[in-house]
């Protein structure tokens, strides 16, 4: 048996065994389980109030003062988009924010983390922005309100002005942002289950959502010299780790590249063509292609703890913020199509992987031709239990072929309805072996 066959094989009884070529993760799918209905991750629907509001959702319009001050917002301007920054507390309701970049109230790496471990202090622009916000009564009240909301969980007395200043330095200089679309529910929703998931955004909205996220990545790298990697992920519904049923992505700067980047770099050091040979080419060989356009491809993934779809950029540019608008939008269109095919009730994690600006310090510099931008969409339809903990062999309900067979009919339907961009689907995909630039 060849090394390629060992990565993805079907046994005579129908069992599918997989091994991730980059991480070594082992996955089994037992025969007969793939025909079961996918579990829905939503509670029983209830009627929405007449105004369509969602009490208690801090991400919804009308609750902007429950979040730390915005870093930026995206508003409609004719048929296009315009980014607004530097808004005061009094200006938050003057425009309709279609997407907002907001500091996470419970950040992973705090200001003290960067200050005490790396000597990184907020820049001059951040300091000036804080003082401007504090100089206005509405700004002070906003900061005080957010402080008190956080103190419900962390404790703390009524803040002094200096307390607010220190908190604001962390929020305005945050290294952990949320990218939040405006709508909690789709337009015209009458039931609580009519959620505005990624797949229910329009093609244009989803392109803007991805572009706004990519800009956040670039900004976090530029603002913090100690940031070695910016992690981007989206948790949809509670089984995937979401605290809210309001769509949002998280963008987090950290001071390590993480094991995914490190394992990819090691694989590329051994084989510069690894992402083709052990990714796209295997998908072509095993009939796992799902969708493609001129700039991106999607195929049913293998060797992941959960049933997955992998989406690769075909651009020779590695950092997402260096892609042309057309290349980035092509990636967004494929991602949108896969989300739409999964449906709003399917809990999933969206994980972005990319080449950080520099790979060194023990990982090894692997040059300009390294890690491609790829997004892995993982369907959270099972719970890890004792078998996985004991053996480190993960049981997936669906094999890669089961994922393919569920996604393809949905893609065809969605394309016919005009809900997704006109992508190539399944056997239509005009993609050759080795198409990921090396």
């Amino acid at each position: 048996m060849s090394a390629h066959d060992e990565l993805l094989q079907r046994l005579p009884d129908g069992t599918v065994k997989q091994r991730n070529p980059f991480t070594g993760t082992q996955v089994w799918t037992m025969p007969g389980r793939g025909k079961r209905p996918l579990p829905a991750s939503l509670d029983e629907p209830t009627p929405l109030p007449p105004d369509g509001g969602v009490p208690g959702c801090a991400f919804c319009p009308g609750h902007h003062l429950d979040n730390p001050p915005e870093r930026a917002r995206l508003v409609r301007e004719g048929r296009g988009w315009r980014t607004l920054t530097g808004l005061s507390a009094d200006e938050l309701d003057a425009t309709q924010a279609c997407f907002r970049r907001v500091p996470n109230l419970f950040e992973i790496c705090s200001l003290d983390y960067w200050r005490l471990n790396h000597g990184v202090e907020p820049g001059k622009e951040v300091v000036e922005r804080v003082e401007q916000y504090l100089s206005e009564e509405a700004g002070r009240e906003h900061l005080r309100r957010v402080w008190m909301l956080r103190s419900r969980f962390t404790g703390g007395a009524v803040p002094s002005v200096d307390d607010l200043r220190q908190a604001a330095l962390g929020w305005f200089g945050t290294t952990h942002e949320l990218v939040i679309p405006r709508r909690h529910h789709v337009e015209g929703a009458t039931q609580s289950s009519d959620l505005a998931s990624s797949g229910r955004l329009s093609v244009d909205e989803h392109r803007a959502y991805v572009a706004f996220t990519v800009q956040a990545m670039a900004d976090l790298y530029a603002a913090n010299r100690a940031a070695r990697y910016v992690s981007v992920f989206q948790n949809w519904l509670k089984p995937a780790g979401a605290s809210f049923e309001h769509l949002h992505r998280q963008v987090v700067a950290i001071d390590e590249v993480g094991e995914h980047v490190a394992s990819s770099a090691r694989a590329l050091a051994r084989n510069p063509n690894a992402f083709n040979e052990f990714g796209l080419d295997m998908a072509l060989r095993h009939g796992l292609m799902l969708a493609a356009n001129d700039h991106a491809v999607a195929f049913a993934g293998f060797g992941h703890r959960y049933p997955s779809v992998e989406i690769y950029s075909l651009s020779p540019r590695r950092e997402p913020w260096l892609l042309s608008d057309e290349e980035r939008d092509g990636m967004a269109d494929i991602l949108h199509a896969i989300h739409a095919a999964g449906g709003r009730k399917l809990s999933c994690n969206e994980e972005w992987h990319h080449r950080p600006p520099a790979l060194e310090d023990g990982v090894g510099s692997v040059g300009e031709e390294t890690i491609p931008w790829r997004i892995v969409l993982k369907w959270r339809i099972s719970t890890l239990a004792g078998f996985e903990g004991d053996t480190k062999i993960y049981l997936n309900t669906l094999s890669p072929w089961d994922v393919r067979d569920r996604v393809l009919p949905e893609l065809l339907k969605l394309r016919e309805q005009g809900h997704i961009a006109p992508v190539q689907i399944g056997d239509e995909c005009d993609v050759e072996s080795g198409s990921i630039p090396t």
Side-chain angles (χ1 to χ4, degrees):
M1 181 182 295
S2 71
H4 293 86
D5 291 333
E6 289 180 350
L7 295 176
L8 183 58
Q9 55 178 313
R10 295 199 223 199
L11 303 184
D13 75 323
T15 296
V16 175
K17 291 189 176 183
Q18 312 164 47
R19 183 185 293 273
N20 190 294
F22 300 101
T23 64
T25 299
Q26 288 182 269
V27 181
W28 292 3
T29 302
M30 314 314 291
R33 297 170 64 87
K35 303 304 180 184
R36 299 188 305 175
L38 295 183
S41 300
L42 294 175
D43 296 331
E44 285 296 315
T46 57
L48 292 176
D51 63 1
V54 183
C57 178
F59 295 168
C60 282
H63 294 267
H64 292 173
L65 293 178
D66 293 343
N67 308 138
E70 293 177 11
R71 299 292 299 276
R73 66 171 48 184
L74 207 59
V75 301
R76 274 289 188 189
E77 188 171 63
R79 299 181 64 181
W81 303 92
R82 182 161 63 101
T83 301
L84 302 180
T85 58
L87 297 182
S88 68
D90 283 329
E91 295 174 312
L92 293 178
D93 294 326
T95 56
Q96 184 182 77
C98 297
F99 299 91
R100 297 186 300 138
R101 286 171 49 190
V102 175
N104 192 316
L105 191 56
F106 300 97
E107 70 274 62
I108 290 177
C109 295
S110 67
L111 173 62
D112 280 346
Y113 181 93
W114 298 105
R115 176 182 279 157
L116 299 177
N117 295 327
H118 296 284
V120 174
E121 295 287 348
K124 179 182 176 182
E125 290 184 1
V126 171
V127 174
E128 291 176 350
R129 176 89 167 105
V130 168
E131 294 305 322
Q132 178 190 23
Y133 219 76
L134 282 169
S135 69
E136 301 171 353
E137 180 60 26
R140 291 193 298 276
E141 286 302 312
H142 182 193
L143 296 173
R144 189 174 292 112
R145 178 184 179 88
V146 176
W147 171 286
M148 297 306 295
L149 286 170
R150 182 182 168 98
S151 70
R152 292 179 187 175
F153 303 95
T154 62
V158 175
S160 66
V161 172
D162 191 57
D163 289 333
L164 295 181
R165 178 176 288 107
Q166 290 304 308
L169 285 170
W171 291 328
F172 284 113
T174 187
T175 57
H176 188 164
E177 293 190 18
L178 306 176
V179 184
I180 308 172
R182 175 177 63 87
R183 295 195 304 275
H184 191 119
H185 295 99
V186 296
E187 297 290 356
T190 59
Q191 299 288 318
S192 60
S193 59
D194 291 332
L195 297 173
S197 62
S198 282
R200 301 187 88 184
L201 299 177
S202 70
V203 171
D204 186 46
E205 286 173 330
H206 191 262
R207 288 178 175 180
Y209 186 28
V210 169
F212 208 40
T213 305
V214 168
Q215 186 58 55
M217 296 175 71
D219 290 347
L220 289 188
Y221 272 121
N224 189 333
R225 59 175 171 76
R228 296 194 62 210
Y229 192 71
V230 173
S231 171
V232 179
F233 57 94
Q234 177 173 287
N235 304 328
W236 177 244
L237 303 180
K238 289 179 183 178
S243 302
F244 292 91
E245 288 181 344
H246 191 128
L247 181 64
H248 62 283
R249 282 200 186 99
Q250 302 196 46
V251 187
V252 188
I254 58 176
D255 56 353
E256 297 183 16
V257 297
E259 181 54 29
H260 266 296
V261 171
S263 62
S264 296
R266 290 192 293 267
L268 286 164
R270 296 190 297 268
N271 180 356
N273 199 38
F275 281 104
N276 279 305
E277 188 172 336
F278 301 123
L280 175 61
D281 294 0
M282 285 194 63
L284 289 167
R285 186 181 312 118
H286 290 283
L288 298 175
M289 293 299 299
L290 299 177
N293 57 28
D294 289 343
H295 306 295
V297 297
F299 53 84
F302 61 93
H304 298 289
R305 295 183 182 186
Y306 301 97
S308 301
V309 174
E310 299 193 38
I311 302 157
Y312 277 74
S313 167
L314 298 180
S315 172
R317 303 173 182 88
R318 300 310 188 177
E319 294 91 337
W321 54 93
L322 296 182
L323 270 64
S324 68
D325 290 350
E326 291 77 13
E327 290 171 331
R328 186 196 60 237
D329 288 349
M331 189 74 166
D333 288 350
I334 296 293
L335 176 61
H336 176 250
I338 299 301
H339 270 300
R344 73 186 188 282
K345 297 180 181 180
L346 181 61
S347 182
C348 62
N349 295 117
E350 180 186 300
E351 302 172 358
W352 292 25
H353 303 282
H354 69 283
R355 179 194 187 278
L359 280 176
E360 50 191 20
D361 298 341
V363 175
S365 177
V366 287
E368 294 293 332
E369 70 290 346
T370 57
I371 303 166
W373 180 25
R374 71 192 193 282
I375 297 173
V376 182
L377 203 60
K378 297 181 178 178
W379 294 359
R380 296 295 296 273
I381 60 174
S382 60
T383 301
L384 303 183
F387 178 81
E388 286 86 354
D390 180 40
T391 65
K392 298 304 178 186
I393 297 173
Y394 298 90
L395 297 180
N396 275 358
T397 303
L398 303 179
S399 74
W401 291 278
D402 294 325
V403 171
R404 176 201 63 189
D405 292 344
R406 287 174 181 265
V407 169
L408 288 181
E410 295 300 319
L411 288 176
L412 291 168
K413 235 185 322 186
L414 290 162
R415 187 177 64 180
E416 184 178 352
Q417 295 166 353
H419 181 68
I420 62 174
V423 299
Q424 301 166 4
I425 297 172
D427 292 339
E428 303 168 357
C429 293
D430 185 19
V431 180
E432 296 181 355
S433 174
S435 291
I436 299 170
T438 60

